[in-house]
Amino acid sequence: MKRSFISFALLALVVAAGAQGAYKVPVSEQHERMLRGRYEPTWESLAAHRTPEWFRDAKFGIWAHWGPQCVEGSGDWMARSLYIEGSNEYRYHVKHYGHPSEVGFKDILPLFKAERWDADKLVARYKRCGAKYFFVLGNHHDNYDLWDSKYQPWNAMNIGPKRDILDEWAKAARKHGLPLGISFHADHAWTWYETAQRYDMDGPKAGVYYDGKLTKEDGKGKWWEGLDPQMLYRQNHPMSDRSWANNSIHRHWGWEEGASLPSEDFVTNFYDRTLDAINRYEPDLVYFDVKRLPFYPVSDCGLKITAHFYNKNPRGVVFGKELNEMQRKAVTWDVERGAPNGAIDEPWQTCNCIGGWHYTTSIYENDGYKSAAVVVKQLVDIVSKNGNLLLSIPLRADGTYDEKEAKVLDDLEAWMTVNGESIFGTRPWTTFGEGPVAESNADFNGFGFNDGQFSKMDWRDIRFNQTKKYLYVTAMGWPPDNKLIIKSLGKAKAGLRKPITSAWLLGYGKVKAVQSDAGLEVWLPEPTNGIAPVIRIKK
C-alpha cells in the first residue's frame, strides 16, 4: 500500500495548528470524557511518555486479526473489494452470495458464527510459541465492533457470533499472563467504504447503485429491520477526490490528501467506541492503522484517545505509522510488513502476517504462508534493530487455524523453546548485523512493505543482540561447510572488551571458535534445527 508522505512544511503547519486547538473537526466529549492527568492531548505532552521496558523485553507478540471479513475467504479487504466491479472479491461474492446492490457486506455479518472458536486454547497455544503479548482486533475498516459495543449496534453481540469477542479474548490473555493489545481501524470506514456508493458500469446491473447508501427506512421487512446501514457503511457524504480510482484509498490514508472531510458525528463515534473498549477491557497496548494518530491533523480525536490511555495506564503502549522523530517519542512507531535497515534509537514494532491479514483461502491452497524459518529470521533481524515483531496467524471464520498454519506454529515453538533466550530481554549490540542484506538498501514502500528483501537472508547474513552477560550471534541459516566466519568479531573490531576464547551453540553445547583479525571462525556441527543456529558468547 504505497502512500505519500506529508511534507515537512505542511507537518509544521498542522503541528502548530494542533497546538492552538484549531482542528477542523474537534471531537465531542458529550458521552465519553477524556481522563485528565499527566498527559494532555498534544504531541509535546505525549512526548514525555516513554515506551516501557516490559515491551522492550517482550520482543514478540501474536495477533488474532480476525473478524467477519474471513467469512468468504476471498481476500483481506473483501468488504471494500466486493464493491469493485471485476475484482476477484466482486466475482466471488456475486457468484456465491449475490449482487452488491442486493447483498452487501451487511448481509455477510450474520454468517460470521465463530462456532469453533476457543479463546483459551488459542492464547495458550500462542504463548507456547513464545508470544509475550497478545493482540486482538477491536474493529477493522469494515466498521463492525467485535465486542458488546455501546455506540455501534453493528457488533458481535448483536449480529453473528452473539458473543462478546473482546471479553473472551481479554479473559484468556489475563489467565495466561499475557499483556493485551487491541487494534482499532474503523476510523477509515469513511473513505474505505466509498466503493459501496458505486454501481456497475457494465452488464445487466449497470447503473444500479450498490447498498452503500441504504438507510434505516429501507430495512422494513428485512432481516436488518431496525438497524441503520449508515452506522455501518457511513456513506452519506460526498466521495473523496478521485474516489473511483481503486488505489486512491492509499492516498486518502492521510486526511489532508484529498479525503472527504469526516463529520463530527463520525469522528466522535470512533472516539466514544475506542474509549468504551479501553475502559472496559483495560488493554496494555493500543494499535492504530494510521498515519500518526486517528484523524490527525483534521481532528484532536487520536490525541485525546492517546492522552486518555496514557493517563489510565502509564505503562501502556500506543502505535502509529509514518511518524517523525518527535512523534516517535509520543507513540511507538509501527512498520507494516517490513523493517528499517539499521538500528533505531526509539523502540519500535513490525506488524506482519504469515498470510493475508484476513484469512484467504487461495493462500492456503497455493501454499502461500510464510514458513517458521522466514518468521524467525525476520524476528531476529527486527530484534537486532531494537524492534519487536507482532505476528498475525489468520483464523478462519469459525475461529480455527488450518493444518498448514499449525505446522508453522509447531516449527516456531520448537525453535523458540531452544533459542528464546537470544530473543527475550535482549538489547541491540554495537553493530546490528553483517552480510549482503545488511549492507544493501531496504527502501520503504509507504508504511513499510519491504519484508521481501529480508526474506532473502541466508547464512551469510548474521545478526547480533545482547544481554549484560552474553552476546548472541545468529546466522540466518547453516553454512554449507558448517564453518561460520563472523567478520564483526575480529580482534581489531570495536565493541569487544576482551578476546573471545569460547562459543556455545544453543541446543547443542560448546563449539570450536578461533578469533583472528579477519573475524571469529566457528565450527558448527550438523544442523540441530532447520532454521538458524544461535551462538552464545560470554562477554
Side-chain angles (χ1 to χ4, degrees):
M1 294 186 291
K2 189 171 184 178
R3 302 170 182 126
S4 59
F5 287 84
I6 184 172
S7 71
F8 289 112
L10 178 56
L11 181 59
L13 288 173
V14 297
V15 168
Q20 299 169 9
Y23 296 104
K24 294 180 181 178
V25 191
V27 73
S28 168
E29 294 186 56
Q30 179 182 358
H31 301 115
E32 296 287 339
R33 294 195 60 80
M34 184 190 82
L35 181 65
R36 266 62 184 178
R38 175 183 178 184
Y39 299 101
E40 298 294 331
T42 67
W43 287 110
E44 292 74 16
S45 176
L46 298 175
H49 184 267
R50 288 291 177 267
T51 303
E53 290 299 298
W54 75 259
F55 177 76
R56 299 190 68 193
D57 289 339
K59 302 302 181 189
F60 180 58
I62 287 184
W63 191 2
H65 191 287
W66 175 60
Q69 288 184 82
C70 300
V71 168
E72 297 191 21
S74 61
D76 172 36
W77 280 13
M78 58 78 57
R80 170 180 166 83
S81 298
L82 74 86
Y83 297 107
I84 297 177
E85 183 181 11
S87 70
N88 292 334
E89 295 87 346
Y90 169 94
R91 291 195 297 269
Y92 186 90
H93 181 81
V94 169
K95 179 179 179 180
H96 294 90
Y97 299 93
H99 191 267
S101 64
E102 300 165 349
V103 181
F105 184 66
K106 69 182 186 312
D107 303 291
I108 300 302
L109 297 178
L111 306 179
F112 176 52
K113 299 292 189 182
E115 62 270 26
R116 298 175 62 197
W117 172 57
D118 188 323
D120 181 72
K121 288 184 178 179
L122 287 168
V123 174
R125 182 74 182 92
Y126 300 151
K127 185 175 182 178
R128 293 201 305 273
C129 292
K132 300 299 184 184
Y133 56 101
F134 174 64
F135 249 96
V136 301
L137 197 67
N139 49 42
H140 199 248
H141 312 317
D142 59 24
N143 212 24
Y144 171 90
D145 283 353
L146 286 149
W147 75 94
D148 186 14
S149 180
K150 288 169 61 177
Y151 302 103
Q152 172 57 295
W154 298 84
N155 67 62
M157 200 70 177
N158 290 341
I159 305 164
K162 303 295 180 70
R163 297 163 71 175
D164 189 326
I165 301 293
L166 254 60
D167 182 60
E168 294 186 45
W169 278 132
K171 288 176 179 174
R174 291 191 190 96
K175 175 181 174 181
H176 294 285
L178 296 183
L180 174 71
I182 305 177
S183 67
F184 301 96
H185 311 244
D187 50 313
H188 287 295
W190 185 266
T191 51
W192 192 79
Y193 263 135
E194 284 185 8
T195 54
Q197 294 194 47
R198 298 183 188 179
Y199 47 80
D200 284 1
M201 301 295 291
D202 299 301
K205 295 283 188 180
V208 180
Y209 282 95
Y210 303 151
D211 71 337
K213 285 283 196 178
L214 291 179
T215 64
K216 188 174 183 178
E217 288 69 31
D218 296 313
K220 292 179 181 177
K222 307 287 180 59
W223 74 264
W224 47 275
E225 183 172 359
L227 290 168
D228 184 358
Q230 288 313 307
M231 285 298 294
L232 181 69
Y233 296 135
R234 289 293 192 166
Q235 291 308 301
N236 279 342
H237 65 79
M239 283 186 169
S240 300
D241 180 45
R242 288 177 279 176
S243 180
W244 276 76
N246 293 334
N247 289 325
S248 65
I249 185 61
H250 305 311
R251 185 167 63 90
H252 297 151
W253 230 248
W255 291 97
E256 69 279 19
E257 299 175 35
S260 174
L261 190 68
S263 68
E264 182 177 324
D265 173 70
F266 178 71
V267 171
T268 298
N269 180 257
F270 177 83
Y271 167 86
D272 288 340
R273 289 155 66 187
T274 306
L275 259 62
D276 174 39
I278 288 172
N279 292 339
R280 196 181 303 192
Y281 305 108
E282 300 185 330
D284 301 287
L285 312 100
V286 171
Y287 171 103
F288 295 120
D289 187 10
V290 295
K291 294 176 68 171
R292 302 176 292 280
L293 284 173
F295 300 105
Y296 189 80
V298 300
S299 176
D300 56 350
C301 174
L303 290 167
K304 282 191 169 182
I305 293 171
T306 304
H308 174 90
F309 180 62
Y310 285 168
N311 286 330
K312 185 176 178 63
N313 185 353
R315 297 178 70 251
V317 184
V318 172
F319 299 96
K321 300 179 180 181
E322 288 195 13
L323 305 169
N324 65 25
E325 186 175 348
M326 184 271 285
Q327 292 165 346
R328 288 182 197 176
K329 292 178 169 50
V331 295
T332 301
W333 183 38
D334 181 83
V335 178
E336 185 169 349
R337 291 189 185 268
N341 204 22
I344 305 298
D345 291 338
E346 296 289 340
W348 59 281
Q349 174 182 267
T350 288
C351 61
N352 212 325
C353 184
I354 65 169
W357 285 118
H358 282 100
Y359 190 88
T360 305
T361 305
S362 62
I363 294 177
Y364 166 77
E365 293 174 342
N366 295 318
D367 295 325
Y369 292 130
K370 288 182 175 71
S371 66
V374 170
V375 170
V376 166
K377 292 172 187 179
Q378 292 184 353
L379 171 64
V380 172
D381 176 74
I382 289 162
V383 169
S384 76
K385 300 169 182 175
N386 202 29
N388 287 27
L389 172 62
L390 175 62
L391 182 70
S392 173
I393 309 294
L395 296 176
R396 294 174 288 203
D398 66 1
T400 62
Y401 50 76
D402 61 53
E403 78 281 359
K404 295 178 182 179
E405 293 175 296
K407 176 66 163 56
V408 176
L409 291 171
D410 289 343
D411 292 346
L412 185 59
E413 180 181 353
W415 190 89
M416 291 289 240
T417 298
V418 173
N419 300 286
E421 69 170 82
S422 69
I423 299 294
F424 308 119
T426 63
R427 296 293 184 270
W429 191 50
T430 55
T431 300
F432 82 88
E434 64 181 56
V437 174
E439 296 159 10
S440 66
N441 292 323
D443 294 333
F444 280 3
N445 182 13
F447 286 173
F449 298 95
N450 64 349
D451 66 336
Q453 298 177 67
F454 298 103
S455 298
K456 300 173 183 176
M457 295 184 293
D458 60 25
W459 61 272
R460 297 170 298 170
D461 270 288
I462 296 169
R463 297 295 181 266
F464 306 95
N465 53 332
Q466 64 179 335
T467 60
K468 290 182 179 179
K469 188 175 181 180
Y470 296 115
L471 172 66
Y472 291 96
V473 183
T474 305
M476 302 302 191
W478 294 80
D481 57 358
N482 292 335
K483 182 181 178 182
L484 195 64
I485 301 177
I486 307 163
K487 297 177 183 178
S488 299
L489 297 182
K491 285 183 178 180
K493 297 294 184 181
L496 296 174
R497 295 197 299 267
K498 58 185 180 180
I500 299 172
T501 58
S502 64
W504 188 273
L505 177 66
L506 298 188
Y508 177 80
K510 190 174 182 179
V511 291
K512 180 182 177 182
V514 176
Q515 191 180 26
S516 67
D517 289 339
L520 181 71
E521 296 183 48
V522 179
W523 283 262
L524 298 172
E526 291 300 311
T528 57
N529 66 67
I531 297 178
V534 182
I535 299 164
R536 186 178 71 200
I537 297 169
K538 191 171 183 179
K539 293 164 65 177

